[in-house]
Amino acid sequence: MISKHLTKVLLAAVSTGALLLATGPVAYANESTGAPSATAIESPSPSANPSKPVIAQYNGRQINLAEDENWGGVSSCTELPGGEVHCYDTNEEALADPALPASIRQATLKAAASLTSPPPRGCIEDYWCLFENPNYAGRVLRFSSDGKHDLGEWGFRDKLSSVYYQVLRWPTNYGIARLWDYRSWPLHDRQRDLISHRHPSMANLDYPDGGNWNDKVDSFEVRR
């Protein structure tokens, strides 16, 4: 026969289990994928809280691009071949930066002077140029390295409105780019490849769930 004391212990354990089940939400793992089930709490997008903010050089001092989404009035920033990032007040300063390879500077000047449709002001040869406003206007980010660039780390998340890529040396730098819009689980991330190198308005690119890609890009991936 079970003692009264043991009976009380068993009843307490059952009551505690019921209480835990009643409180929630509780996340369970999917046996096939290991992913949480639909009862799990959605987590924020990785771009919402940048873990690696970009620290750029500007007029002899450092600025945190992720901390100030307006960059303190800076007009453009360039990711240079050595990995450092420099920011500028004018397009002329960006093109004259000694850290920019001379071949790129010369090719940019040549294109501006000789092409019937020169690249927009602020765009540099061999760089994907990301503009804050349509028609290649507003602040500019210039990317050259292969791979993903989390725009939250650059203070540019959900701000991309037009893209231009000047390609003259096809064997050297031909490639595409990929747009990413991070979604909280269980929604899948959205993505779109940019095969064309000229996009004066992201509003012209259809978004998978309806609408368009203007001011929706969380990460810009360069694929060479």
Side-chain angles (χ1 to χ4, degrees):
M1 179 179 295
I2 301 175
S3 67
K4 292 184 178 180
H5 175 72
L6 179 57
T7 301
K8 290 181 179 180
V9 171
L10 292 174
L11 289 174
V14 172
S15 299
T16 302
L19 178 60
L20 288 174
L21 290 173
T23 58
V26 180
Y28 297 94
N30 183 299
E31 292 181 0
S32 60
T33 64
S37 71
T39 57
I41 301 174
E42 294 184 4
S43 59
S45 159
S47 292
N49 299 294
S51 58
K52 296 185 294 183
V54 174
I55 307 300
Q57 297 292 328
Y58 169 65
N59 283 346
R61 61 185 176 89
Q62 292 185 331
I63 57 175
N64 185 328
L65 299 186
E67 198 171 73
D68 184 351
E69 293 194 349
N70 292 315
W71 297 349
V74 170
S75 67
S76 71
C77 296
T78 302
E79 175 196 43
L80 293 160
E84 66 273 20
V85 178
H86 291 181
C87 295
Y88 319 91
D89 290 318
T90 67
N91 295 324
E92 289 73 20
E93 289 178 5
L95 192 58
D97 189 337
L100 189 71
S103 58
I104 291 180
R105 183 181 303 107
Q106 294 166 2
T108 303
L109 292 171
K110 181 179 179 180
S114 61
L115 297 179
T116 54
S117 298
R121 285 178 56 82
C123 195
I124 293 176
E125 172 70 14
D126 288 353
Y127 275 83
W128 285 92
C129 304
L130 285 61
F131 293 85
E132 183 179 22
N133 299 328
N135 299 314
Y136 316 123
R139 293 183 301 153
V140 191
L141 263 181
R142 306 178 188 91
F143 291 141
S144 63
S145 67
D146 194 47
K148 283 186 178 181
H149 299 75
D150 188 333
L151 297 186
E153 298 172 356
W154 297 76
F156 219 72
R157 182 189 183 200
D158 293 337
K159 294 180 181 294
L160 181 59
S161 292
S162 54
V163 175
Y164 193 98
Y165 180 33
Q166 179 65 33
V167 184
L168 294 179
R169 297 180 293 166
W170 291 86
T172 302
N173 65 4
Y174 177 71
I176 65 172
R178 176 170 292 172
L179 309 178
W180 289 88
D181 178 26
Y182 295 135
R183 309 292 293 272
S184 295
W185 190 91
L187 301 176
H188 294 293
D189 294 343
R190 302 295 187 252
Q191 65 182 58
R192 176 175 179 134
D193 287 348
L194 297 183
I195 306 300
S196 170
H197 296 157
R198 302 180 183 184
H199 296 276
S201 177
M202 306 304 284
N204 295 330
L205 297 180
D206 293 336
Y207 189 80
D209 295 333
N212 57 69
W213 275 92
N214 188 57
D215 291 342
K216 284 192 177 75
V217 181
D218 293 334
S219 181
F220 190 89
E221 183 178 3
V222 176
R223 300 170 63 86
R224 294 188 183 278

